[in-house]
Amino acid sequence: MLAYAIRRIAGAIPTLLILLTLAFVMIRAAPGGPFDAEKQLPPQIEANLRAKYHLDEPLYEQYARYLWDVMHFDFGPSFQYQDLTVNQLIASGFPVSLKLGLASLVFALLLGVPIGILAALRQNRITDYGLMTLAMLGISIPNFVLAPLLILLLAVHRDWLPAGGLGGPSHYVIPVIALGTAIMAYVARLTRGSTIEVLRSDYIRTARAKGLPMRRVLFLHALPAALTPVVSFLGPATAGIITGSVVIETIFGIPGLGRFFVQGALNRDYTLVMGVVLFYGILIVVFNLIVDLVYAWLDPRVKY
């Protein structure tokens, strides 16, 4: 398994290099620059700024310089946040995004798995149809539509929860629901389908024929096998939570990494955008590796 993990990490390096190259080219191809503002800078000052950040060099030299810095885990200085490096901005914003993302993932799993199991046990009954209809609605409604609706219902009309900002646990309730609802719906549907398939397996019939209670059969024998598709889905789910957090953090004014990314893109902060993109890419690679290793623990038939 250690050799497999090393191979996966080594195989991810070309992917991250392509990701970095695309981000480098696309952010520079966008109109405008990091020093464009409503008030035009004097030409000499702008030339000095461009020379300070090596923007006066040819693109291939800028790319080679940035790649060398990244290899030393240095994402460079921010163009818009003075006296701060991209590493410092990531270090300040990532804990907030991590807390929001983990809370959304826990919310999705704690609700999605029981809903899927209940629907499987009540297959083709009104409970099954009702739960799967709600799951389809959760998949269909984008988080940037669900978030304002939740704000109107729970913060504006009822004044039960804060509408935005960052403070106590109550400030996380609406963002977590908005970010985790779609993932919860996918988990519920996956759990339902896999549970129905596992409950029809021969070893489950054998366990039932021996007189084991349904609760023990479900939780000790069926559930580990039924959760393998859900575990496999956690990799794409993490990517969905990461990309969704960019929108959610902007809507709710949460000072996380996603909000830095949006502001960096609007301000043409080249190093900040590329640093966040590369950092997110590394996170997804690491989490997918963890998911693959957990998959082998749940399903002994998997060999590395």
Side-chain angles (χ1 to χ4, degrees):
M1 190 174 291
L2 178 61
Y4 170 80
I6 294 174
R7 288 197 304 270
R8 281 292 302 272
I9 294 173
I13 293 177
T15 303
L16 294 175
L17 182 61
I18 294 173
L19 181 66
L20 175 63
T21 304
L22 289 176
F24 183 89
V25 173
M26 291 176 66
I27 189 63
R28 282 167 170 75
F35 306 118
D36 294 345
E38 295 181 2
K39 183 179 179 180
Q40 188 69 28
L41 292 174
Q44 186 61 40
I45 295 179
E46 185 172 351
N48 292 337
L49 287 173
R50 294 181 66 84
K52 176 183 177 182
Y53 294 107
H54 306 286
L55 296 178
D56 56 342
E57 298 176 353
L59 279 180
Y60 68 90
E61 291 186 10
Q62 295 182 43
Y63 178 77
R65 183 187 299 275
Y66 185 75
L67 187 60
W68 177 257
D69 291 339
V70 167
M71 291 173 60
H72 293 81
F73 304 100
D74 180 11
F75 293 148
S78 171
F79 294 159
Q80 297 295 329
Y81 295 90
Q82 296 182 358
D83 300 326
L84 290 175
T85 65
V86 175
N87 295 58
Q88 291 172 329
L89 292 174
I90 291 176
S92 64
F94 176 62
V96 178
S97 298
L98 179 64
K99 187 184 297 184
L100 177 61
L102 289 179
S104 302
L105 194 59
V106 170
F107 165 77
L109 293 175
L110 288 181
L111 287 184
V113 172
I115 288 174
I117 293 174
L118 180 60
L121 296 176
R122 301 288 188 271
Q123 184 185 5
N124 296 329
R125 300 180 185 177
I126 188 171
T127 303
D128 180 21
Y129 294 141
L131 292 175
M132 289 302 100
T133 299
L134 292 176
M136 185 57 67
L137 286 175
I139 295 172
S140 304
I141 301 177
N143 55 18
F144 59 83
V145 174
L146 182 61
L149 290 177
L150 292 174
I151 292 174
L152 286 175
L153 292 175
L154 301 179
V156 177
H157 292 321
R158 294 296 181 180
D159 196 23
W160 288 343
L161 295 167
L166 187 62
S170 60
H171 288 77
Y172 283 91
V173 175
I174 299 180
V176 165
I177 295 175
L179 187 57
T181 295
I183 305 299
M184 178 197 67
Y186 280 113
V187 168
R189 292 182 64 85
L190 282 173
T191 304
R192 175 191 179 273
S194 59
T195 302
I196 291 174
E197 182 180 356
V198 170
L199 289 177
R200 294 173 178 173
S201 302
D202 292 337
Y203 75 96
I204 297 296
R205 293 195 188 99
T206 303
R208 293 289 292 159
K210 289 181 178 180
L212 293 178
M214 185 60 188
R215 179 179 300 179
R216 185 174 181 182
V217 171
L218 179 64
F219 288 101
L220 294 183
H221 299 281
L223 194 57
L227 287 180
T228 50
V230 177
V231 172
S232 298
F233 174 69
L234 290 181
T238 304
I241 285 179
I242 287 176
T243 54
S245 68
V246 174
V247 178
I248 295 300
E249 289 175 11
T250 303
I251 292 176
F252 290 95
I254 298 174
L257 204 52
R259 193 179 180 191
F260 282 143
F261 176 80
V262 172
Q263 293 299 321
L266 293 175
N267 296 327
R268 302 297 185 270
D269 195 337
Y270 297 158
T271 52
L272 180 56
V273 171
M274 291 186 297
V276 173
V277 167
L278 185 60
F279 184 75
Y280 276 157
I282 294 172
L283 282 181
I284 293 175
V285 167
V286 171
F287 196 83
N288 280 329
L289 175 60
I290 295 174
V291 166
D292 286 345
L293 299 181
V294 173
Y295 191 91
W297 174 68
L298 287 174
D299 190 350
R301 296 171 298 177
V302 175
K303 301 296 181 183
Y304 292 113

